[in-house]
Amino acid sequence: MTGLTIRPFMENDYEALINYCLPIEQAIYTSLPLKVIEDFRKDKYNLPMVIYLDEDLIGCFALYTDKAGNQFTSNENAILLKSFSLDLRHQKKGLAFKTLKVLPDMIRLSHPDKDEIILTVHHSNVPAINLYKKAGFFDKGYRFNGEEGEEFIFHYALD
């Protein structure tokens, strides 16, 4: 496992996203990558990102970059991590953790004005909660009432 790469979505990634496999039970926790791409086209602050392992597209997420901040924090220098998922065929291999561990350095390079990563995670998504904590995200006790119920707001300081 040498070639883990995170980069912005490009049109030639589209075909791989059509075959993206996400279990139905995970559908309430995240958006399918094609939905992430569709949302990007509606909002210039949504930056869809893809995760590759060598030549295989294995994951997707979006970064919300609006300098005005977002609804989960008053920190105008925060970047929001949204819709993080891995293709079912690549789950339970430690790849989500590896992605989250390299993500802060990637954000520091690509968005040097940002000093914090924010994400929300559904209160019942225990595997994701444990993953985010293991990767260094902190639950400061902030909550948000989402469409599917209570969401925890996690923070990762970039400074």
Side-chain angles (χ1 to χ4, degrees), residues 13-32:
D13 298 319
Y14 190 79
E15 188 174 324
L17 290 178
I18 291 172
N19 298 316
Y20 199 87
C21 188
L22 195 65
I24 192 71
E25 63 271 13
Q26 293 178 10
I28 68 164
Y29 300 132
T30 191
S31 298
L32 285 170

PDB file of all heavy atoms in Angstrom, residues 13-32:
ATOM      1  N   ASP A  13     -12.414  11.183 -13.596  1.00  0.00           N
ATOM      2  CA  ASP A  13     -12.754  10.354 -12.432  1.00  0.00           C
ATOM      3  C   ASP A  13     -14.202   9.895 -12.476  1.00  0.00           C
ATOM      4  O   ASP A  13     -14.600   9.001 -11.731  1.00  0.00           O
ATOM      5  CB  ASP A  13     -12.554  11.139 -11.125  1.00  0.00           C
ATOM      6  CG  ASP A  13     -11.121  11.563 -10.903  1.00  0.00           C
ATOM      7  OD1 ASP A  13     -10.211  10.757 -11.176  1.00  0.00           O
ATOM      8  OD2 ASP A  13     -10.917  12.707 -10.458  1.00  0.00           O
ATOM      9  N   TYR A  14     -14.997  10.520 -13.325  1.00  0.00           N
ATOM     10  CA  TYR A  14     -16.438  10.295 -13.329  1.00  0.00           C
ATOM     11  C   TYR A  14     -16.788   8.813 -13.529  1.00  0.00           C
ATOM     12  O   TYR A  14     -17.631   8.284 -12.824  1.00  0.00           O
ATOM     13  CB  TYR A  14     -17.087  11.160 -14.416  1.00  0.00           C
ATOM     14  CG  TYR A  14     -18.583  11.179 -14.333  1.00  0.00           C
ATOM     15  CD1 TYR A  14     -19.234  11.989 -13.407  1.00  0.00           C
ATOM     16  CD2 TYR A  14     -19.359  10.381 -15.168  1.00  0.00           C
ATOM     17  CE1 TYR A  14     -20.612  12.008 -13.317  1.00  0.00           C
ATOM     18  CE2 TYR A  14     -20.736  10.393 -15.082  1.00  0.00           C
ATOM     19  CZ  TYR A  14     -21.359  11.200 -14.160  1.00  0.00           C
ATOM     20  OH  TYR A  14     -22.720  11.204 -14.063  1.00  0.00           O
ATOM     21  N   GLU A  15     -16.127   8.152 -14.465  1.00  0.00           N
ATOM     22  CA  GLU A  15     -16.453   6.749 -14.740  1.00  0.00           C
ATOM     23  C   GLU A  15     -16.235   5.863 -13.516  1.00  0.00           C
ATOM     24  O   GLU A  15     -17.038   4.987 -13.216  1.00  0.00           O
ATOM     25  CB  GLU A  15     -15.638   6.232 -15.920  1.00  0.00           C
ATOM     26  CG  GLU A  15     -16.084   4.857 -16.368  1.00  0.00           C
ATOM     27  CD  GLU A  15     -15.379   4.412 -17.638  1.00  0.00           C
ATOM     28  OE1 GLU A  15     -15.115   5.255 -18.512  1.00  0.00           O
ATOM     29  OE2 GLU A  15     -15.099   3.204 -17.720  1.00  0.00           O
ATOM     30  N   ALA A  16     -15.140   6.095 -12.802  1.00  0.00           N
ATOM     31  CA  ALA A  16     -14.870   5.309 -11.592  1.00  0.00           C
ATOM     32  C   ALA A  16     -15.929   5.576 -10.521  1.00  0.00           C
ATOM     33  O   ALA A  16     -16.281   4.676  -9.757  1.00  0.00           O
ATOM     34  CB  ALA A  16     -13.482   5.621 -11.058  1.00  0.00           C
ATOM     35  N   LEU A  17     -16.451   6.789 -10.473  1.00  0.00           N
ATOM     36  CA  LEU A  17     -17.478   7.116  -9.470  1.00  0.00           C
ATOM     37  C   LEU A  17     -18.814   6.458  -9.781  1.00  0.00           C
ATOM     38  O   LEU A  17     -19.597   6.177  -8.875  1.00  0.00           O
ATOM     39  CB  LEU A  17     -17.647   8.626  -9.355  1.00  0.00           C
ATOM     40  CG  LEU A  17     -16.483   9.370  -8.719  1.00  0.00           C
ATOM     41  CD1 LEU A  17     -16.757  10.868  -8.702  1.00  0.00           C
ATOM     42  CD2 LEU A  17     -16.208   8.867  -7.314  1.00  0.00           C
ATOM     43  N   ILE A  18     -19.070   6.189 -11.052  1.00  0.00           N
ATOM     44  CA  ILE A  18     -20.320   5.508 -11.421  1.00  0.00           C
ATOM     45  C   ILE A  18     -20.362   4.120 -10.787  1.00  0.00           C
ATOM     46  O   ILE A  18     -21.409   3.636 -10.382  1.00  0.00           O
ATOM     47  CB  ILE A  18     -20.461   5.430 -12.959  1.00  0.00           C
ATOM     48  CG1 ILE A  18     -20.705   6.839 -13.509  1.00  0.00           C
ATOM     49  CG2 ILE A  18     -21.579   4.482 -13.371  1.00  0.00           C
ATOM     50  CD1 ILE A  18     -20.669   6.923 -15.017  1.00  0.00           C
ATOM     51  N   ASN A  19     -19.211   3.470 -10.673  1.00  0.00           N
ATOM     52  CA  ASN A  19     -19.129   2.115 -10.116  1.00  0.00           C
ATOM     53  C   ASN A  19     -18.864   2.097  -8.617  1.00  0.00           C
ATOM     54  O   ASN A  19     -18.600   1.045  -8.053  1.00  0.00           O
ATOM     55  CB  ASN A  19     -18.030   1.339 -10.842  1.00  0.00           C
ATOM     56  CG  ASN A  19     -18.329   1.194 -12.310  1.00  0.00           C
ATOM     57  OD1 ASN A  19     -19.449   0.888 -12.693  1.00  0.00           O
ATOM     58  ND2 ASN A  19     -17.335   1.450 -13.145  1.00  0.00           N
ATOM     59  N   TYR A  20     -18.919   3.269  -7.970  1.00  0.00           N
ATOM     60  CA  TYR A  20     -18.641   3.385  -6.537  1.00  0.00           C
ATOM     61  C   TYR A  20     -19.667   2.577  -5.755  1.00  0.00           C
ATOM     62  O   TYR A  20     -20.868   2.654  -6.013  1.00  0.00           O
ATOM     63  CB  TYR A  20     -18.725   4.856  -6.145  1.00  0.00           C
ATOM     64  CG  TYR A  20     -18.046   5.230  -4.852  1.00  0.00           C
ATOM     65  CD1 TYR A  20     -16.703   5.562  -4.838  1.00  0.00           C
ATOM     66  CD2 TYR A  20     -18.756   5.303  -3.665  1.00  0.00           C
ATOM     67  CE1 TYR A  20     -16.077   5.954  -3.676  1.00  0.00           C
ATOM     68  CE2 TYR A  20     -18.135   5.690  -2.488  1.00  0.00           C
ATOM     69  CZ  TYR A  20     -16.807   6.016  -2.498  1.00  0.00           C
ATOM     70  OH  TYR A  20     -16.187   6.406  -1.343  1.00  0.00           O
ATOM     71  N   CYS A  21     -19.199   1.830  -4.789  1.00  0.00           N
ATOM     72  CA  CYS A  21     -20.063   0.939  -4.022  1.00  0.00           C
ATOM     73  C   CYS A  21     -20.139   1.413  -2.568  1.00  0.00           C
ATOM     74  O   CYS A  21     -19.123   1.460  -1.872  1.00  0.00           O
ATOM     75  CB  CYS A  21     -19.488  -0.473  -4.105  1.00  0.00           C
ATOM     76  SG  CYS A  21     -20.554  -1.724  -3.405  1.00  0.00           S
ATOM     77  N   LEU A  22     -21.343   1.798  -2.145  1.00  0.00           N
ATOM     78  CA  LEU A  22     -21.561   2.240  -0.767  1.00  0.00           C
ATOM     79  C   LEU A  22     -22.780   1.504  -0.233  1.00  0.00           C
ATOM     80  O   LEU A  22     -23.855   1.568  -0.830  1.00  0.00           O
ATOM     81  CB  LEU A  22     -21.781   3.752  -0.730  1.00  0.00           C
ATOM     82  CG  LEU A  22     -21.664   4.435   0.614  1.00  0.00           C
ATOM     83  CD1 LEU A  22     -20.236   4.340   1.156  1.00  0.00           C
ATOM     84  CD2 LEU A  22     -22.065   5.900   0.511  1.00  0.00           C
ATOM     85  N   PRO A  23     -22.640   0.782   0.887  1.00  0.00           N
ATOM     86  CA  PRO A  23     -23.772   0.017   1.420  1.00  0.00           C
ATOM     87  C   PRO A  23     -24.940   0.931   1.785  1.00  0.00           C
ATOM     88  O   PRO A  23     -24.750   2.045   2.257  1.00  0.00           O
ATOM     89  CB  PRO A  23     -23.210  -0.650   2.674  1.00  0.00           C
ATOM     90  CG  PRO A  23     -21.743  -0.529   2.580  1.00  0.00           C
ATOM     91  CD  PRO A  23     -21.452   0.650   1.712  1.00  0.00           C
ATOM     92  N   ILE A  24     -26.142   0.428   1.574  1.00  0.00           N
ATOM     93  CA  ILE A  24     -27.351   1.201   1.833  1.00  0.00           C
ATOM     94  C   ILE A  24     -27.430   1.653   3.296  1.00  0.00           C
ATOM     95  O   ILE A  24     -27.902   2.748   3.585  1.00  0.00           O
ATOM     96  CB  ILE A  24     -28.625   0.413   1.411  1.00  0.00           C
ATOM     97  CG1 ILE A  24     -29.848   1.317   1.406  1.00  0.00           C
ATOM     98  CG2 ILE A  24     -28.839  -0.809   2.294  1.00  0.00           C
ATOM     99  CD1 ILE A  24     -29.844   2.329   0.282  1.00  0.00           C
ATOM    100  N   GLU A  25     -26.908   0.842   4.211  1.00  0.00           N
ATOM    101  CA  GLU A  25     -26.964   1.219   5.630  1.00  0.00           C
ATOM    102  C   GLU A  25     -26.050   2.401   5.957  1.00  0.00           C
ATOM    103  O   GLU A  25     -26.190   3.023   7.003  1.00  0.00           O
ATOM    104  CB  GLU A  25     -26.667   0.030   6.555  1.00  0.00           C
ATOM    105  CG  GLU A  25     -25.290  -0.561   6.432  1.00  0.00           C
ATOM    106  CD  GLU A  25     -25.169  -1.663   5.393  1.00  0.00           C
ATOM    107  OE1 GLU A  25     -26.093  -1.838   4.567  1.00  0.00           O
ATOM    108  OE2 GLU A  25     -24.145  -2.359   5.401  1.00  0.00           O
ATOM    109  N   GLN A  26     -25.135   2.722   5.069  1.00  0.00           N
ATOM    110  CA  GLN A  26     -24.281   3.894   5.266  1.00  0.00           C
ATOM    111  C   GLN A  26     -24.867   5.141   4.600  1.00  0.00           C
ATOM    112  O   GLN A  26     -24.354   6.244   4.772  1.00  0.00           O
ATOM    113  CB  GLN A  26     -22.875   3.625   4.718  1.00  0.00           C
ATOM    114  CG  GLN A  26     -22.131   2.570   5.486  1.00  0.00           C
ATOM    115  CD  GLN A  26     -20.758   2.272   4.901  1.00  0.00           C
ATOM    116  OE1 GLN A  26     -20.268   2.971   4.022  1.00  0.00           O
ATOM    117  NE2 GLN A  26     -20.137   1.205   5.392  1.00  0.00           N
ATOM    118  N   ALA A  27     -25.969   4.977   3.878  1.00  0.00           N
ATOM    119  CA  ALA A  27     -26.542   6.082   3.099  1.00  0.00           C
ATOM    120  C   ALA A  27     -27.013   7.249   3.971  1.00  0.00           C
ATOM    121  O   ALA A  27     -26.984   8.391   3.522  1.00  0.00           O
ATOM    122  CB  ALA A  27     -27.682   5.580   2.223  1.00  0.00           C
ATOM    123  N   ILE A  28     -27.446   6.981   5.213  1.00  0.00           N
ATOM    124  CA  ILE A  28     -27.901   8.104   6.043  1.00  0.00           C
ATOM    125  C   ILE A  28     -26.723   8.897   6.591  1.00  0.00           C
ATOM    126  O   ILE A  28     -26.905  10.003   7.078  1.00  0.00           O
ATOM    127  CB  ILE A  28     -28.816   7.665   7.204  1.00  0.00           C
ATOM    128  CG1 ILE A  28     -28.056   6.855   8.250  1.00  0.00           C
ATOM    129  CG2 ILE A  28     -30.033   6.924   6.702  1.00  0.00           C
ATOM    130  CD1 ILE A  28     -28.778   6.731   9.573  1.00  0.00           C
ATOM    131  N   TYR A  29     -25.527   8.356   6.503  1.00  0.00           N
ATOM    132  CA  TYR A  29     -24.359   9.009   7.087  1.00  0.00           C
ATOM    133  C   TYR A  29     -23.574   9.874   6.107  1.00  0.00           C
ATOM    134  O   TYR A  29     -22.803  10.728   6.524  1.00  0.00           O
ATOM    135  CB  TYR A  29     -23.412   7.963   7.688  1.00  0.00           C
ATOM    136  CG  TYR A  29     -24.017   7.123   8.777  1.00  0.00           C
ATOM    137  CD1 TYR A  29     -23.885   5.745   8.777  1.00  0.00           C
ATOM    138  CD2 TYR A  29     -24.726   7.700   9.822  1.00  0.00           C
ATOM    139  CE1 TYR A  29     -24.420   4.972   9.789  1.00  0.00           C
ATOM    140  CE2 TYR A  29     -25.280   6.933  10.827  1.00  0.00           C
ATOM    141  CZ  TYR A  29     -25.122   5.570  10.806  1.00  0.00           C
ATOM    142  OH  TYR A  29     -25.656   4.811  11.811  1.00  0.00           O
ATOM    143  N   THR A  30     -23.707   9.624   4.825  1.00  0.00           N
ATOM    144  CA  THR A  30     -22.880  10.341   3.854  1.00  0.00           C
ATOM    145  C   THR A  30     -23.603  10.441   2.524  1.00  0.00           C
ATOM    146  O   THR A  30     -24.617   9.775   2.310  1.00  0.00           O
ATOM    147  CB  THR A  30     -21.512   9.641   3.674  1.00  0.00           C
ATOM    148  OG1 THR A  30     -20.656  10.495   2.923  1.00  0.00           O
ATOM    149  CG2 THR A  30     -21.646   8.283   3.025  1.00  0.00           C
ATOM    150  N   SER A  31     -23.086  11.254   1.644  1.00  0.00           N
ATOM    151  CA  SER A  31     -23.635  11.383   0.290  1.00  0.00           C
ATOM    152  C   SER A  31     -22.822  10.531  -0.670  1.00  0.00           C
ATOM    153  O   SER A  31     -21.610  10.389  -0.516  1.00  0.00           O
ATOM    154  CB  SER A  31     -23.554  12.835  -0.176  1.00  0.00           C
ATOM    155  OG  SER A  31     -24.325  13.672   0.643  1.00  0.00           O
ATOM    156  N   LEU A  32     -23.492   9.989  -1.654  1.00  0.00           N
ATOM    157  CA  LEU A  32     -22.771   9.275  -2.700  1.00  0.00           C
ATOM    158  C   LEU A  32     -21.891  10.260  -3.456  1.00  0.00           C
ATOM    159  O   LEU A  32     -22.252  11.431  -3.614  1.00  0.00           O
ATOM    160  CB  LEU A  32     -23.756   8.609  -3.653  1.00  0.00           C
ATOM    161  CG  LEU A  32     -24.443   7.358  -3.118  1.00  0.00           C
ATOM    162  CD1 LEU A  32     -25.573   6.939  -4.049  1.00  0.00           C
ATOM    163  CD2 LEU A  32     -23.440   6.228  -2.967  1.00  0.00           C
TER     164      LEU A  32
END
